[in-house]
Amino acid sequence: MKNLSNILAVSFKSILKNKRRNIFTMIGIIIGIAAVITIMSLGNGFKKTAADEFSDSGAGKNSAIISFMTSNGEGAKENPFTQQDIDIVKQMNGVSDAKIKENEDTGYSAKMTNSQKKGDISILKKATMDNPEKGPGFDSDDNELHKKVVTVDDKIAKDVFNKDAIGKTLYIDGQGFEVVGIANDAMNPSAVNMPSKTFDQYMGDLNQDFPSLQLTVADDADKKDVANKVADELNKKGSGVGDGNYSYNDTEEMMKGINKVFDGITYFVAAVAGISLFIAGIGVMNVMYISVTERTEEIAIRRAFGAKARDIELQFLIESVVLCVIGGLIGLILGILIGSLVDAVTPDYIKSVVSLGSVVIAVGVSMLIGIVFGWIPARAAAKKELIDIIK
């Protein structure tokens, strides 16, 4: 251990003695490691985001989603998951719980019943809508008080109120709601935003166009087997029989497939970025050869004092590894900072996740480069005999 500490001390002194040359040598390693870490952290971030999304949609370990699709592919006119259907499902073996799953981005179908305009609308449940394009909107207090207020889009404001909607009353299924704002949603035309608790109190019998049933499967049960049995049972006794079909899609398997694609893309791009590491390794080998040539006198003195060939070889090999590991650690930090910067610039789209595996790869690859590309110069130094140096 004492000998190793001496070798490390000599290695650091040698590196610091030629700081400028060694810094330029490390640049390739720094860039390569930083690129690999950035790519892997972004790839891990994409995987985590996808996993979270699939978890919300029923890809959890004990969660499964039963969906319903009408024969014509349109939205369901009647709720295919009634309380009776839910009770049937709860009694099945392997099912711990069952409930209607709500999709926050999907509206609830309703009828607009104003005398001057009637038609279909889509109601979106919101906790707050305090920043509409026009009008005051509604806040959390309005939600808690179950106030009968809504915001409408430009189409409804034009068709029903001749563009003068603020303060007017919109009738939905015969019930009046005050219009407190104009807010457009490109994904949901004819959309009405309503406080979620107001909706639960006054519009609770409405259903989404494409409802689904979320199952909680017992720990000792096979999720896929239980979910398929539930779908089969609903296709026999469900309220939607005759209008469409109940089915279970294994989103967990889909998530695994997507993760494999992400992994493949990540590793391929990381391998391309790793080419710079090979070039950096050539640079390390070149610098170590120069170091061996410059330190011929030092090698001679050490051999004169009894140093063996393996001692000389170990000295130069450790110097190569130390040089590469320092570059790798700097690259690791730089890669994490770049990933964090991408997070800050695109917070809603890209997340970076630095895993322990990425850190191990950064340090491990740096050490491997030091060993592989430092071994040949180290061997060359070890083969120098005292008598040959004197000659």
Side-chain angles (χ1 to χ4, degrees), residues 47 253-267:
K47 286 170 59 178
E253 287 297 322
M254 190 184 302
M255 183 180 70
K256 291 178 180 178
I258 290 176
N259 282 343
K260 287 182 180 179
V261 173
F262 276 136
D263 285 339
I265 295 173
T266 299
Y267 293 140

Side-chain angles (χ1 to χ4, degrees), residues 112-391:
M112 179 172 56
T113 54
N114 282 56
S115 57
Q116 60 270 51
K117 182 70 176 181
K118 302 181 186 295
D120 296 326
I121 60 172
S122 178
I123 302 177
L124 296 172
K125 295 169 64 174
K126 302 285 185 181
T128 62
M129 180 58 69
D130 50 14
N131 191 28
E133 296 167 26
K134 296 179 183 177
F138 55 83
D139 55 23
S140 56
D141 290 336
D142 296 325
N143 189 28
E144 292 295 331
L145 294 172
H146 302 185
K147 284 192 175 181
K148 299 180 74 174
V149 294
V150 294
T151 67
V152 299
D153 62 8
D154 283 333
K155 185 177 186 304
I156 296 175
K158 178 182 178 181
D159 293 346
V160 182
F161 304 106
N162 196 25
K163 297 184 179 180
D164 184 23
I166 306 298
K168 302 297 177 60
T169 300
L170 178 70
Y171 288 93
I172 303 174
D173 289 350
Q175 299 189 61
F177 296 83
E178 181 186 356
V179 178
V180 293
I182 306 294
N184 292 291
D185 187 337
M187 300 298 295
N188 291 282
S190 298
V192 173
N193 296 296
M194 181 182 295
S196 55
K197 293 188 177 180
T198 301
F199 179 94
D200 293 339
Q201 180 170 343
Y202 297 104
M203 301 277 118
D205 57 339
L206 298 180
N207 62 276
Q208 294 182 322
D209 289 338
F210 299 97
S212 56
L213 187 68
Q214 183 170 1
L215 308 179
T216 301
V217 181
D219 292 335
D220 58 347
D222 182 272
K223 183 178 74 171
K224 188 174 182 179
D225 183 56
V226 170
N228 283 323
K229 287 181 179 179
V230 168
D232 291 340
E233 187 69 14
L234 288 174
N235 280 319
K236 296 176 183 176
K237 302 178 180 178
S239 302
V241 173
D243 294 330
N245 183 60
Y246 297 91
S247 63
Y248 164 67
N249 294 318
D250 193 351
T251 50
E252 191 169 0
E253 287 297 322
M254 190 184 302
M255 183 180 70
K256 291 178 180 178
I258 290 176
N259 282 343
K260 287 182 180 179
V261 173
F262 276 136
D263 285 339
I265 295 173
T266 299
Y267 293 140
F268 173 76
V269 178
V272 173
I275 294 174
S276 64
L277 292 175
F278 178 79
I279 298 172
I282 300 296
V284 170
M285 184 166 62
N286 184 50
V287 166
M288 293 307 298
Y289 265 122
I290 295 172
S291 180
V292 169
T293 303
E294 292 177 343
R295 294 161 65 185
T296 302
E297 184 177 341
E298 175 191 330
I299 296 172
I301 294 172
R302 294 187 65 184
R303 293 304 296 266
F305 278 90
K308 297 179 181 179
R310 67 176 182 220
D311 297 324
I312 303 297
E313 181 179 352
L314 184 62
Q315 175 67 61
F316 283 92
L317 186 60
I318 288 180
E319 285 184 21
S320 174
V321 171
V322 169
L323 182 67
C324 292
V325 169
I326 292 174
L329 292 175
I330 296 173
L332 172 63
I333 296 170
L334 183 60
I336 293 173
L337 291 177
I338 293 173
S340 300
L341 180 62
V342 173
D343 272 356
V345 174
T346 58
D348 297 329
Y349 302 99
I350 300 176
K351 299 290 183 183
S352 66
V353 177
V354 180
S355 64
L356 179 61
S358 300
V359 176
V360 172
I361 288 174
V363 177
V365 168
S366 301
M367 292 182 65
L368 184 62
I369 291 173
I371 293 171
V372 171
F373 291 93
W375 181 76
I376 297 177
R379 285 289 297 169
K383 289 180 179 179
K384 289 182 178 290
E385 296 292 342
L386 179 59
I387 188 66
D388 296 330
I389 296 172
I390 293 174
K391 289 179 180 180

Side-chain angles (χ1 to χ4, degrees), residues 82-92 98:
T82 63
Q83 189 57 49
Q84 181 180 354
D85 298 325
I86 295 174
D87 291 338
I88 291 173
V89 171
K90 285 182 177 180
Q91 293 173 8
M92 296 185 64

